[in-house]
Amino acid sequence: MRGNGMSEVMAELAQSRHIKGHVYFYSLSRKFVDENYDVPEEAKQIMYYSLAIGHHLGVVDCLNAVLECSGEEYLAWIKGLPEDSEAFRKMQGFLGFGEITVYPEHLNMLACAFDAISPDEQTATSVRLTKGFIRALTAIYHEPSMYMMIRGGQ
């Protein structure tokens, strides 16, 4: 957030039910075909492609938590983004829905937005989140079949 007062948007986000729990940043570590789903070897690439466009056909994603913070820390972290930015709109989605997905098409926009926040304007936790988030985005850049899911939990 920029300025002295809390904007209407930030005040609304501070009331989110997702602010009370933890926030986990999961990154895809690997995919495999569910052994209970009988698929010929030739069709497995089609299954992976289907997953990439959002259809689960017996493909299981293995997600590892690469970052973690509280809901309050998450809100404090995204306050560094301009409220009218695409990056802020994307990241505030977690507080509205309890989950967002970051795909390769979001990488440049998010990395540039978080990199533009001065470390002097961030808490130590926000600096840690920014560095870890950019590191995870870079990994996705190098392996475009990867993605990140940000979800709430206890």
Side-chain angles (χ1 to χ4, degrees):
M1 182 185 86
R2 310 258 155 102
N4 294 334
M6 183 180 279
S7 73
E8 288 181 37
V9 171
M10 293 312 258
E12 185 178 318
L13 292 175
Q15 300 303 311
S16 167
R17 66 185 173 96
H18 304 292
I19 205 95
K20 301 292 182 211
H22 275 78
V23 183
Y24 299 93
F25 297 69
Y26 295 102
S27 184
L28 178 68
S29 62
R30 63 187 172 107
K31 298 179 186 183
F32 64 91
V33 176
D34 185 352
E35 294 172 5
N36 296 323
Y37 195 81
D38 191 26
V39 177
E41 192 63 39
E42 310 82 50
K44 288 181 182 176
Q45 285 303 318
I46 293 171
M47 289 182 61
Y48 286 113
Y49 177 75
S50 297
L51 176 64
I53 60 172
H55 299 93
H56 291 270
L57 301 170
V59 177
V60 178
D61 291 355
C62 297
L63 299 168
N64 289 335
V66 294
L67 287 170
E68 177 184 342
C69 65
S70 71
E72 291 90 359
E73 291 167 332
Y74 183 88
L75 180 58
W77 178 52
I78 69 167
K79 280 181 182 180
L81 297 169
E83 286 183 22
D84 62 348
S85 70
E86 187 178 349
F88 182 81
R89 282 190 297 279
K90 176 69 177 168
M91 299 306 286
Q92 80 174 6
F94 166 76
L95 294 167
F97 305 110
E99 176 178 306
I100 59 171
T101 305
V102 176
Y103 292 110
E105 60 265 24
H106 303 122
L107 300 179
N108 188 55
M109 175 262 299
L110 290 171
C112 289
F114 279 100
D115 189 53
I117 302 170
S118 169
D120 297 335
E121 296 177 16
Q122 298 184 66
T123 65
T125 298
S126 292
V127 169
R128 175 185 61 83
L129 290 172
T130 297
K131 287 181 180 181
F133 189 60
I134 291 175
R135 194 169 36 254
L137 295 177
T138 301
I140 295 169
Y141 174 80
H142 290 294
E143 182 51 61
S145 66
M146 290 178 62
Y147 64 92
M148 177 183 292
M149 181 175 290
I150 301 173
R151 296 190 71 180
Q154 296 304 326

